[in-house]
Amino acid sequence: MSHRSPTPAPASPPAAGAVERPTRVWYASYGSNLHRERFLTYLCGGRPPGASRTYPGCTDCTPPAADVPVRWPGRLHFATRSPVWGGGIAFADALGDEDAPTGTEVLGRAYLITAEQFDQVVHFENQGTCATDAACTPLLAAVAHGRYACGPGAYETLWHIGDRAGVPVVTFTAPFTAADAARGSHELVRDGRRQRVRACRPTAPYLRMIGRGLAETFGLDAGQQADYLRAGQGARDWGREALIGVLAGGTS
């Protein structure tokens, strides 16, 4: 998979009809959707273990045609407070964002799905409740410019991280960085309310779900999972041994 450095998007997307919108997308997950069974609740409906929300499923419930492990330059961090999990949720910074360390990478799992399924997953991640209400995401603009906002919501920024066999690999993240969350310098509108973004400790069920995905995708054991997760702001508030206990199946 080729990688590219994201650049700020211009005010307007490319002219409509200039290039055909992709029909398929490699959706690159890096949070709880690393766990395949959890991701399938987005496509097929259901409630993930430890979550407080039941998802209705996409209009097309067809499972991914394939899934593969992916890595890209960047870093994981945890901020805001999830209405589903109760603590901080995962976001990804690009290398080159303020204060982002060099030599770090995001571990992900890319699912080959239709563009319409991708639109609806983005809708659900931004607190949408009905698949048929999902708007078409600006995939062409994201591919053209690296990153492109499709807001509103915490995951409003599409990020084109490369291509695989001619199909774009796209994830989504926040418009703010880990440095913004540390300073409390960004505000976000969620559920019609404006709130200041802060780094936030993720809950045990959420981290356990991510850990299961890391084990499935990369074969990481609980210690390796803990070291990867604790490198991210927010998760650093967990002690290493306590987090290993959680990831190994404990209840801390």
Side-chain angles (χ1 to χ4, degrees), residues 35-215:
H35 189 267
R36 181 181 172 89
E37 185 177 349
R38 187 272 186 273
F39 176 61
L40 289 179
T41 64
Y42 276 110
L43 301 187
C44 306
R47 178 181 293 192
S52 63
R53 181 180 177 187
T54 299
Y55 295 90
C58 293
T59 52
D60 176 1
C61 297
T62 305
D67 67 82
V68 294
V70 290
R71 301 169 181 256
W72 65 93
R75 67 164 174 186
L76 199 68
H77 69 100
F78 298 85
T80 75
R81 184 168 295 276
S82 170
V84 177
W85 299 100
I89 48 178
F91 298 99
D93 277 358
L95 291 185
D97 282 342
E98 185 180 359
D99 298 333
T102 59
T104 58
E105 61 183 4
V106 180
L107 303 182
R109 186 175 194 168
Y111 299 95
L112 184 58
I113 58 177
T114 69
E116 290 74 17
Q117 286 176 319
F118 180 79
D119 296 339
Q120 292 169 15
V121 169
V122 173
H123 179 66
F124 293 146
E125 285 280 18
N126 286 298
Q127 305 306 303
T129 58
C130 182
T132 55
D133 290 339
C136 288
T137 56
L139 283 169
L140 286 176
V143 170
H145 304 296
R147 281 194 287 189
Y148 206 88
C150 63
Y155 289 106
E156 68 165 16
T157 301
L158 301 188
W159 181 4
H160 176 222
I161 59 175
D163 298 276
R164 183 180 178 88
V167 178
V169 182
V170 183
T171 191
F172 39 79
T173 189
F176 55 84
T177 66
D180 293 330
R183 290 190 297 261
S185 60
H186 189 91
E187 289 188 340
L188 191 68
V189 176
R190 297 181 73 185
D191 299 324
R193 298 180 180 179
R194 185 172 296 276
Q195 56 185 252
R196 191 164 297 280
V197 171
R198 302 282 187 184
C200 186
R201 183 180 190 260
T203 62
Y206 183 60
L207 289 174
R208 192 177 297 118
M209 186 66 71
I210 298 175
R212 290 173 180 170
L214 291 168

